[in-house]
Structures are given as structure tokens and as C-alpha cells.
Amino acid sequence: MVNEGNIDWVVAIVALLAGIAIGVLIRHFSGSERTTSQRLKQRLAETELELNGLRENVNTHFADVMTLAQNITRQSEELQTRLGTDAATMTSDPALKRQRQVDTPQESEEDTTALHIPRDYADSSGTLDESYGLRQKQESESKDPQPPRY
């Protein structure tokens, strides 16, 4: 009977050590997943901050480029105006003055060639008019009256 008692204690101690070993392994593997997920969350937050900074830089860049383009356009118009006025005042050759008058469009021409806002309707004589093409049919139908449709 002594051997049976010792075997019970040995089995209990081995089971206890096996349980501790299994618990340590489970803790080790589950803990590493937790730290890995924390690292990934931290990297994600860092990349989001970097992305937001880049977006802000791009927005600032495009605003600056648009301002510079507007300045260039304005300066180009000012230069063209100044060259025109200087050429008009300083040119003594009548042929150059006539050429300049031909090259610059008159204000009345600009009004006729100006672009108009497109309309979604036609004039009363247009093809989108409700009565377009019905006059001919009405004349032919007036000879043979049709019964009313209900």
C-alpha cells in the first residue's frame, strides 16, 4: 500500500507541473499576440498622423500654386495692357498703328462673339417647340376631321 500512496503523490505532482507548464505556454503565446496588436495599433496611429500631415501639405501646396497661377495671369494681362498703351503712344509708323487696330478686336465684336450661357429650352421657332411640324399636319387633318380621342 505504500507504493500506491507514493504513486498518487507522484501523479499529483506531475499533473501540477504539467498544468503550470501549460499555463505558462498559454500566457506566453497569448501575451505576445496582445503586444503585437498593441504595436500594430501604435503603428496605425502613427501612419494616420503622417497621412493627415501629408494631406495638409498637399492642400497647402495646391492653394499656393493656384495663387501663383492667378498672379501670373494678372501680371500677364497687365503686361499686355501696358505694351498696348505704350505701342499706341510711342509708335510713329502709321502702318504699325493700322496693324495694331486690326489685331485688337473692337468692343462691339466681343459682344457678338462672347459665349452665352447654354439654355435648356429653345426659342419659339426652334425644333424643340411643341408646335414644331404640327402646322402641316393640322392643315392636312383639317380636310378630314378625326373623331375625338378619349
Side-chain angles (χ1 to χ4, degrees):
M1 281 207 203
V2 178
N3 286 339
E4 289 181 20
N6 288 339
I7 293 176
D8 290 338
W9 282 102
V10 171
V11 170
I13 292 172
V14 170
L16 179 66
L17 291 175
I20 291 173
I22 291 172
V24 168
L25 289 174
I26 291 173
R27 171 76 175 139
H28 175 70
F29 289 123
S30 68
S32 66
E33 289 177 9
R34 189 177 314 145
T35 57
T36 303
S37 67
Q38 288 175 353
R39 283 188 216 143
L40 289 175
K41 286 179 184 178
Q42 183 180 3
R43 286 185 63 198
L44 179 62
E46 290 172 357
T47 53
E48 284 179 353
L49 286 174
E50 185 179 350
L51 179 63
N52 288 336
L54 291 174
R55 282 183 183 161
E56 187 175 318
N57 288 341
V58 167
N59 291 338
T60 305
H61 170 73
F62 280 122
D64 292 344
V65 167
M66 187 171 63
T67 303
L68 291 173
Q70 290 172 349
N71 289 341
I72 289 172
T73 304
R74 181 182 47 81
Q75 289 175 353
S76 171
E77 290 171 355
E78 289 175 3
L79 178 64
Q80 186 176 10
T81 303
R82 184 167 179 180
L83 284 173
T85 56
D86 290 348
T89 58
M90 295 183 179
T91 303
S92 62
D93 186 13
L96 289 175
K97 285 185 179 181
R98 277 184 267 138
Q99 180 65 29
R100 185 184 171 314
Q101 289 175 352
V102 169
D103 289 343
T104 58
Q106 300 297 327
E107 290 181 10
S108 62
E109 292 177 8
E110 288 182 14
D111 293 339
T112 58
T113 61
L115 296 176
H116 298 286
I117 298 173
R119 303 179 299 179
D120 60 347
Y121 59 91
D123 294 330
S124 62
S125 62
T127 58
L128 295 177
D129 189 17
E130 290 182 10
S131 62
Y132 178 76
L134 294 179
R135 292 180 186 156
Q136 296 169 354
K137 290 181 182 177
Q138 289 174 353
E139 291 173 4
S140 64
E141 288 177 0
S142 64
K143 296 175 186 173
D144 300 324
Q146 299 288 328
R149 295 184 176 179
Y150 296 102

